[in-house]
Amino acid sequence: MINRILTHDQIQHIAKRIAYQIYETNVDEKEIVVAGIKGSGESFAKKIITVLKKITDAEIILCKVDMDKKNPLESGVKTSLSREDYENKSIVLVDDVLNSGTTLIYGTHHFLKSPIKQLKTAVLVNRNHKKYPIKADFKGISLSTSLSEHIKVDFEPKNNAVYLE
């Protein structure tokens, strides 16, 4: 059975709310790096960036984060920005769903190898099934789900949705 838990308009509203939270946390920053994890995390990051660019004069920089989500230790983490491009800057690491925490913890580890001003995390859905000590600083919704349930995020143009399967 599939249940839609977030509609397009609700996702747009969440992206706007999280963008304002990011702005409030970075009000004195001249540059903010928004690092989206490849796939839906990057899509959600772009939605947040669209709002941020409307509400702040700070330079908003998209960083694409790539890793094998099933085996990030072996694949390593790669970013579209060089280390120099995000050093001493405020970074927000964005993903669609915080499930076990594997993706966020390895993404966080990658950025913490460099001197940075601060690192925050943002997710659309927080599932509360973490294996690692990581949390979302900014979250759209928190869901208590069983381990057998699956969250599916669709970022189709003008028809974004989140489903519980």
Side-chain angles (χ1 to χ4, degrees), residues 8-144:
H8 180 82
D9 289 341
Q10 289 170 318
I11 293 170
Q12 299 304 106
H13 179 75
I14 288 168
K16 185 175 184 178
R17 178 174 49 80
I18 289 175
Y20 273 91
Q21 290 174 313
I22 291 168
Y23 170 63
E24 288 169 1
T25 305
N26 292 281
V27 72
D28 295 325
E29 294 299 324
K30 303 281 186 264
E31 296 173 300
I32 304 167
V33 175
V34 180
I37 295 174
K38 186 177 179 181
S40 293
E42 184 182 335
S43 297
F44 190 48
K46 288 177 179 176
K47 289 184 171 308
I48 292 168
I49 287 171
T50 299
V51 178
L52 279 170
K53 286 184 174 181
K54 293 176 184 173
I55 62 174
T56 180
D57 292 331
E59 182 182 358
I60 309 301
I61 304 162
L62 173 64
C63 177
K64 299 173 185 179
V65 180
D66 191 11
M67 71 182 87
D68 179 347
K69 292 184 178 187
K70 298 215 183 325
N71 194 353
L73 190 58
E74 196 170 296
S75 73
V77 176
K78 298 168 199 68
T79 59
S80 62
L81 298 178
S82 69
R83 180 176 282 197
E84 295 77 30
D85 291 334
Y86 58 77
E87 277 184 351
N88 301 310
K89 293 188 174 117
S90 178
I91 301 170
V92 181
L93 183 61
V94 180
D95 205 359
D96 58 345
V97 179
L98 173 51
N99 193 9
S100 68
T102 302
T103 308
L104 277 182
I105 200 92
Y106 281 95
T108 299
H109 178 258
H110 174 82
F111 287 108
L112 291 177
K113 293 177 189 174
S114 302
I116 55 175
K117 281 190 179 178
Q118 71 173 344
L119 177 64
K120 299 287 185 183
T121 56
V123 297
L124 179 58
V125 179
N126 182 12
R127 284 198 61 196
N128 300 316
H129 291 299
K130 295 182 278 299
K131 295 193 292 188
Y132 301 99
I134 188 128
K135 68 177 180 64
D137 296 296
F138 313 111
K139 56 186 160 265
I141 61 168
S142 290
L143 287 178
S144 293

